[in-house]
Amino acid sequence: MLELDEIQRIFQAQRSHRRVMRHTTAAERVERLERLRAEILTRQDEIGRAIHEDLGRPADNRDEIQTVMGNLDKVRDELADWMAPLPVEKSPATPAAERIFVKYEPRGVVLLFGTWDFPIGMFFSPLIQAVAAGNVVLAKTSSMAPATGEVIEQIVRAVFDEREVAVFNDNDVTTPDGVRSTNDVLLDLPIDHIFLTGSPRVGKIIVEKAAQHMASFTLELGGKSPAIVDRTIDLDLVAEAFLGGKIYNHGQTCLSVDYVWVPADLRDAFVETYVAAVKRAYYDETGEFQWQRDGRFVDKRNYERVKGYLDEAIARGATVAFGGKTDADNLVIEPTVLLDVPRDTRIIQEEIFGPILPVLTYTDEEEIFAHSDTLGKPLGFSVYSRDDAFIERMLDNTTSGGVTINGHAVHWAEENLPFGGVNSSGYGRYHGVWGFRELSNARSVFHVAVD
Ligand code: NAD
């Protein structure tokens, strides 16, 4: 078990080291990140096995590693430009200026919490941006992906001096007052910035804890991200996108399609098309769901939680149009389509984070708008339509952190777009230059001209 003294020693060492990291050049930061790239690539098989152990995804799946490689490429190619002072035009009201610019300086010590659904990607993506911005980082891996947490710890130790990046896997710390959770101990330190990927519930805790030391924070949270289907779109296209959107990682993705709105008269055609796509992708000839192709629930608690939502919905009169089988031994629920679900059930009220799709119908777009932020403001939003006027009305009458039109979560993959949530789904933006800026202090400099 960790000792409080050990955490405090590392924190003090990191604080003293902030100035060193602040003065590193783009080339020096990239050099560290290239060592990180090499270490991750060396351990690809180990990472695959660990994710398999934690989430049941195939051990040869390299999706998360590819994401991280993309992040590293972007930083390698663009960091020098991001770090350069940003020139600003003078306005008429201010005195003559020698120069005006924004200088990006590191925030200092960044406390990073990873999550378990994409334990490699959601840990290393923010870490890379924190290092690129010249910060030092204290990090805690998610206790729910322990095998991956161990590999992460080894990678970080192999690449970074602990004054630059230190990672903790132990969930508990011995203190003179008894055993405390590592999360709580870390959050009591006078950190400069906190970066959380996790639930709105923990997001609230972070905001309160940050207030103790006036730390700044970035919250990458979740919520109920809807998909809206218009009658002008080919339903096959929607169904294919929903495979990644609803079933990949057993529905445990922050941008998962939580529920879908379809025109009432197209409901049955939509269900038929979606079910056919699901069967093609995930079922064998005997009609068995091949969950091994994409993973299972992370743990019993999450399996029980989603099963509870399903049971309640059925007990309250929802119709199972497809699926519905549960498998407690393997922590799996079959891809399921629910119709006529009462709006006050938990499956409609809470983020599902599982492969169940409630289908809501509309005859009037106002029904979508009226519902739009009643369940919190979502992280993602997708619209499927060929009608530009429909798309504009959807954009103008709803809100979310980001939007993909005619695809699933592509706005997340595009690193030139800022990624993040709004209110209940998050605070702050990252990816590409946006992440560099999020993890920097944008210092305004006005140099008055003197004769
Ligand atoms: P969670 O909020 O329970 O845990 C996330 C992290 O917070 C863990 O690493 C945990 O150790 C840490 N943490 C810090 N202080 C804590 C405290 N006091 N108590 C408990 N944990 C504390 O998240 P979860 O439910 O495991 O993850 C799922 C959520 O994450 C979903 O809501 C999902 O949408 C969201 N998510 C968001 C993104 C994104 O990029 N926006 C990505 C993945 C997941």
Side-chain angles (χ1 to χ4, degrees):
M1 198 186 294
L2 271 168
E3 302 276 339
L4 180 62
D5 287 354
E6 175 69 354
I7 292 186
Q8 286 174 337
R9 181 189 66 73
I10 293 174
F11 175 63
Q12 288 309 335
Q14 289 204 338
R15 284 197 107 183
S16 311
H17 204 63
R18 285 181 299 187
R19 281 191 69 194
V20 176
M21 289 308 290
R22 174 185 176 146
H23 292 116
T24 46
T25 62
E28 286 164 341
R29 295 177 194 177
V30 167
E31 185 269 328
R32 284 168 172 78
L33 293 173
E34 289 303 307
R35 274 192 276 135
L36 176 64
R37 182 201 297 274
E39 193 65 27
I40 290 174
L41 290 176
T42 306
R43 292 178 188 259
Q44 285 191 69
D45 293 346
E46 240 176 283
I47 291 172
R49 283 195 299 274
I51 293 177
H52 174 72
E53 197 178 323
D54 288 330
L55 286 150
R57 260 186 260 153
D60 59 0
N61 182 307
R62 295 287 178 269
D63 294 353
E64 291 192 61
I65 294 177
Q66 275 169 18
T67 300
V68 173
M69 294 302 129
N71 302 150
L72 287 166
D73 292 347
K74 186 85 177 160
V75 170
R76 180 196 58 206
D77 297 345
E78 299 183 13
L79 182 59
D81 290 341
W82 299 348
M83 284 172 69
L86 187 71
V88 172
E89 279 221 2
K90 198 187 88 60
S91 58
T94 49
E98 187 79 33
R99 30 179 211 150
I100 313 178
F101 59 98
V102 176
K103 178 178 167 61
Y104 291 102
E105 58 186 29
R107 290 199 180 263
V109 183
V110 172
L111 174 57
L112 172 67
F113 291 105
T115 183
W116 51 265
D117 51 349
F118 293 94
I120 290 290
M122 295 297 145
F123 182 88
F124 284 113
S125 294
L127 177 75
I128 289 164
Q129 299 212 293
V131 171
N135 297 286
V136 296
V137 182
L138 273 183
K140 171 73 178 72
T141 56
S142 169
S143 57
M144 288 162 68
T148 318
E150 265 181 43
V151 183
I152 289 174
E153 187 174 6
Q154 285 164 20
I155 292 171
V156 168
R157 279 176 190 272
V159 174
F160 296 100
D161 182 316
E162 68 176 15
R163 292 170 303 171
E164 297 175 3
V165 182
V167 62
F168 301 107
N169 271 332
D170 286 354
N171 298 317
D172 298 313
V173 183
T174 318
T175 78
D177 304 326
V179 174
R180 295 187 64 207
S181 94
T182 309
N183 290 330
D184 287 347
V185 168
L186 290 170
L187 285 166
D188 279 346
L189 296 170
I191 295 287
D192 298 301
H193 188 87
I194 307 171
F195 193 112
L196 169 81
T197 303
S199 60
R201 181 187 68 81
V202 174
K204 286 182 191 168
I205 297 173
I206 299 295
V207 175
E208 278 181 21
K209 292 285 191 178
Q212 291 181 82
H213 305 290
M214 297 295 274
S216 48
F217 50 82
T218 308
L219 304 175
E220 295 293 340
L221 312 177
K224 293 186 78 67
S225 300
I228 320 293
V229 178
D230 172 37
R231 61 181 59 258
T232 57
I233 199 74
D234 179 352
L235 294 177
D236 280 321
L237 182 153
V238 184
E240 282 301 320
F242 275 30
L243 298 180
K246 192 72 227 186
I247 309 198
Y248 183 64
N249 212 32
H250 217 48
Q252 301 164 113
T253 68
C254 57
L255 286 168
S256 174
V257 177
D258 195 87
Y259 60 97
V260 59
W261 286 101
V262 292
D265 58 321
L266 291 185
R267 186 190 76 171
D268 294 346
F270 166 78
V271 172
E272 199 179 304
T273 313
Y274 173 63
V275 168
V278 169
K279 283 184 174 166
R280 274 196 306 274
Y282 290 101
Y283 282 69
D284 67 5
E285 326 62 63
T286 68
E288 280 300 306
F289 172 46
Q290 302 298 301
W291 63 268
Q292 298 86 343
R293 290 184 191 164
D294 248 353
R296 51 153 169 79
F297 283 109
V298 66
D299 61 10
K300 185 109 183 141
R301 188 172 60 85
N302 274 278
Y303 165 80
E304 298 283 1
R305 179 180 60 76
V306 180
K307 182 173 182 305
Y309 293 174
L310 179 61
D311 292 346
E312 182 202 18
I314 295 170
R316 296 279 314 282
T319 309
V320 179
F322 180 73
K325 265 194 250 155
T326 58
D327 172 357
D329 294 337
N330 288 311
L331 304 179
V332 166
I333 295 181
E334 206 183 3
T336 300
V337 180
L338 291 180
L339 307 176
D340 307 317
V341 191
R343 297 285 169 87
D344 59 350
T345 48
R346 281 181 298 156
I347 206 155
I348 297 293
Q349 298 290 322
E350 310 280 333
E351 182 179 6
I352 302 172
F353 234 52
I356 300 178
L357 181 66
V359 180
L360 276 52
T361 59
Y362 66 94
T363 48
D364 179 344
E365 290 166 18
E366 279 303 325
E367 295 170 65
I368 299 173
F369 307 151
H371 188 264
S372 129
D373 62 2
T374 55
L375 302 172
K377 295 179 185 168
L379 181 65
F381 187 93
S382 45
V383 186
Y384 293 85
S385 176
R386 290 183 190 278
D387 176 353
D388 290 344
F390 180 91
I391 294 168
E392 285 311 311
R393 288 196 299 279
M394 289 300 138
L395 293 180
D396 288 349
N397 289 284
T398 62
T399 189
S400 66
V403 183
T404 292
I405 297 158
N406 294 336
H408 176 66
V410 186
H411 71 278
W412 168 82
E414 171 53 65
E415 282 215 64
N416 290 332
L417 280 172
F419 178 74
V422 53
N423 292 136
S424 53
S425 57
Y427 181 82
R429 291 287 184 272
Y430 82 130
H431 288 190
V433 69
W434 307 94
F436 170 84
R437 291 182 182 167
E438 179 75 15
L439 290 156
S440 301
N441 172 35
R443 197 172 186 191
S444 300
V445 183
F446 192 114
H447 182 163
V448 177
V450 285
D451 296 333

